[in-house]
Every structure is written in structure tokens, then in C-alpha cells.
Amino acid sequence: MPITFTDEDLMYLDKEQDDQLQSIRQAIDTMKANGGTTFCKKCGHMMQYFKIGNARLFQCGFCGNRIAEMIRL
């Protein structure tokens, strides 16, 4: 399950934590908009990938979920 922060949640934090969470939220939204980053379908964390020949293996560092995808030439 992905972690989501609403404006209500941020209301109870101090200013420094609020700024940090806002910047994290903006960075994740930017990555999702660019489409270059793959997120895990199970937990929502970013997936690391490895190139093997003409395929990419994505692995989630949080839950261990794996996905393989062919690279189109």
C-alpha cells in the first residue's frame, strides 16, 4: 500500500518536517509525470532495474516484487 500524505496530515507537523514532506511529494509527482520511473504495483515504491540482454528486470527493494520487460529496439 503506498504512503500518501493529505493536507490534514501535514497540518500537525512542524514547519521543517512540512517542507521536507512537500518536497518529497513534489519529487515523486514529477517522476510519475515524466514516466521514466516504474513503481511497484503491490506497495507503490520505486523499482530498481537491471538490464539483461534485451530485457529489463525490475525489482522492488521494499516488498521484493519482480517484473520483466522486453526492450524494444
Side-chain angles (χ1 to χ4, degrees):
M1 171 185 272
I3 298 172
T4 56
F5 297 103
T6 63
D7 292 333
E8 258 180 52
D9 295 332
L10 298 176
M11 166 170 94
Y12 298 106
L13 302 172
D14 65 359
K15 184 65 178 161
E16 183 180 331
Q17 288 176 329
D18 184 34
D19 292 341
Q20 288 175 347
L21 289 176
Q22 289 289 359
S23 67
I24 291 169
R25 182 191 286 176
Q26 288 174 353
I28 290 173
D29 289 342
T30 303
M31 283 189 245
K32 285 182 179 179
N34 290 343
T37 305
T38 303
F39 292 89
C40 182
K41 302 270 191 257
K42 282 185 176 179
C43 64
H45 287 84
M46 286 188 292
M47 298 184 82
Q48 300 171 340
Y49 74 92
F50 308 96
K51 288 185 181 180
I52 303 171
N54 61 347
R56 283 195 283 188
L57 174 66
F58 293 94
Q59 181 173 1
C60 179
F62 186 76
C63 70
N65 187 24
R66 291 183 180 164
I67 299 172
E69 141 183 318
M70 296 299 291
I71 300 172
R72 296 182 185 180
L73 299 173

